[in-house]
Amino acid sequence: MKKLRTLAEKPIIGGVVKRAMTSLASNDAKVISRHFSQYLRPQIATDDDLKHEVYRLRHQVYCEELHFEDVKESHEECDEFDDRAIHCFVRHLGSKNLAGTVRLIGSNSPHELLPLEQFCGEAIDHPELSPANFPRHSICEISRLAVPENFRKRAIDQFKGAATGAINEQVFSETELRCFPYIAICLYLAATAMAMQTKRYHGFVMMEPRLARSLTFVGIKFQPIGKVIEFHGKRAPYYIDARELRNNLSSGYLKLLESVEHDLILSGGLKPPTASQSKGQDPTLQSINYRQHPSTN
């Protein structure tokens, strides 16, 4: 796959290689989607106990592993944006541990800035795709995506000494190991479902450019809207329309999205689509977890 990525950047054959990579990824996703729910279960944190689990996982990743934030006495990483966010997590069914989390932050007035606006506003230079150009009730930010080290490592990353976070093949099956790299993609798809359910179609995120490029092979096409800055590493602001994301997904990843939505409905965080939505009309799902305010726009 690494050689294919190199060829994908070539001017003449790059287009063909990219299509081949997308096809390979889609076929693999079809297989993964059949196994994903056997080992991993996406859920929305619908009560305080689940949210505290999310905050502890974020502390583990952002404070203890990556050292992006200072270690807290509470061993929970949370901030002022959490009260107006929907929190999603993925639970590993075998160990009951959280395998990843992401939040979707909303805004209902010009005074409720997205983190990207508040901390990285100077990086946004797109004349049209700025959060300020959309009604506040229609924007959101994908934030605090975190996957702990033991679910980021694969069998090939193991080494002697039982280092913290190394995968133990006696604990995780080969099929489970194949699913783990899809946890981050699963979280982006869960964020898509949460954006659709709240009609916050205009999504923003700060991410590494190389991650944005990799996600295009899945059909998740983030559009750059500003320059790269130093923010916990090289990051740039990106925009995505949740409605277009669903339309651009390859068939394999569309199946994975449907699996994610099914699990989120079972968790009590999403309501099933209505009959009209099932017939291909607006697929927006209603939220029962978001703190709604009347829009000031």
Side-chain angles (χ1 to χ4, degrees):
M1 185 62 76
K2 186 175 181 180
K3 291 182 178 179
L4 284 176
R5 288 196 181 97
T6 301
L7 291 173
E9 302 303 319
K10 301 294 183 181
I12 298 177
I13 64 172
V16 175
V17 173
K18 286 179 181 179
R19 287 193 292 272
M21 290 177 67
T22 298
S23 178
L24 288 171
S26 179
N27 291 336
D28 201 32
K30 289 179 182 177
V31 177
I32 293 299
S33 64
R34 291 198 294 267
H35 297 290
F36 197 90
S37 60
Q38 296 178 31
Y39 307 111
L40 299 157
R41 184 65 47 80
Q43 294 178 245
I44 289 178
T46 53
D47 60 43
D48 288 341
D49 288 340
L50 292 175
K51 290 177 183 177
H52 285 297
E53 273 197 271
V54 165
Y55 300 154
R56 288 194 290 272
L57 176 63
R58 279 169 32 184
H59 187 276
Q60 176 186 337
V61 174
Y62 281 84
C63 303
E64 299 172 29
E65 293 179 8
L66 302 178
H67 306 291
F68 286 167
E69 305 286 346
D70 294 333
V71 172
K72 278 78 172 174
E73 285 188 21
S74 64
H75 290 281
E76 294 188 359
E77 195 282 317
C78 52
D79 59 30
E80 69 271 23
F81 301 104
D82 286 314
D83 285 341
R84 52 186 171 98
I86 309 174
H87 303 272
C88 177
F89 61 89
V90 175
R91 190 181 297 281
H92 178 241
L93 299 179
S95 65
K96 306 302 181 185
N97 294 327
L98 298 196
T101 183
V102 70
R103 68 180 178 182
L104 193 80
I105 302 171
S107 171
N108 291 285
S109 79
H111 303 292
E112 288 188 340
L113 297 178
L114 299 177
L116 173 142
E117 294 178 286
Q118 184 168 325
F119 301 113
C120 308
E122 73 284 355
I124 302 172
D125 56 22
H126 197 286
E128 299 174 357
L129 299 180
S130 167
N133 293 343
F134 298 98
R136 300 305 295 186
H137 63 269
S138 72
I139 66 172
C140 60
E141 181 171 342
I142 302 169
S143 171
R144 284 299 194 264
L145 191 149
V147 178
E149 187 176 21
N150 56 314
F151 288 98
R152 295 198 305 269
K153 298 289 185 181
R154 306 191 68 176
I156 58 174
D157 296 317
Q158 291 187 49
F159 52 93
K160 294 180 180 180
T164 301
I167 287 292
N168 186 337
E169 290 183 271
Q170 296 177 346
V171 177
F172 299 116
S173 71
E174 182 180 350
T175 307
E176 285 177 289
L177 289 169
R178 290 187 65 202
C179 290
F180 289 166
Y182 284 80
I183 292 173
I185 294 174
C186 169
L187 291 168
Y188 280 115
L189 296 179
T192 300
M194 294 188 292
M196 294 298 293
Q197 67 170 342
T198 55
K199 297 186 180 181
R200 295 183 177 276
Y201 302 126
H202 305 289
F204 298 87
V205 64
M206 290 292 295
M207 67 165 54
E208 292 181 86
R210 63 180 179 179
L211 173 57
R213 288 193 297 271
S214 297
L215 289 172
T216 61
F217 296 114
V218 176
I220 303 178
K221 300 178 180 179
F222 285 97
Q223 181 172 346
I225 58 170
K227 56 182 176 291
V228 177
I229 63 171
E230 182 64 32
F231 187 72
H232 299 317
K234 299 296 183 182
R235 301 284 191 275
Y238 288 85
Y239 165 85
I240 195 166
D241 187 315
R243 296 162 295 189
E244 290 300 315
L245 184 151
R246 193 182 192 100
N247 293 333
N248 289 331
L249 284 178
S250 60
S251 59
Y253 284 98
L254 188 57
K255 287 184 179 296
L256 186 57
L257 173 60
E258 291 169 353
S259 175
V260 168
E261 288 177 329
H262 177 263
D263 287 337
L264 293 181
I265 289 170
L266 289 180
S267 76
L270 297 184
K271 288 185 177 180
T274 64
S276 62
Q277 292 164 356
S278 298
K279 293 179 181 179
Q281 298 179 21
D282 185 358
T284 302
L285 301 174
Q286 296 179 354
S287 169
I288 61 172
N289 188 53
Y290 190 77
R291 184 173 64 105
Q292 295 285 357
H293 299 284
S295 173
T296 57
N297 284 18

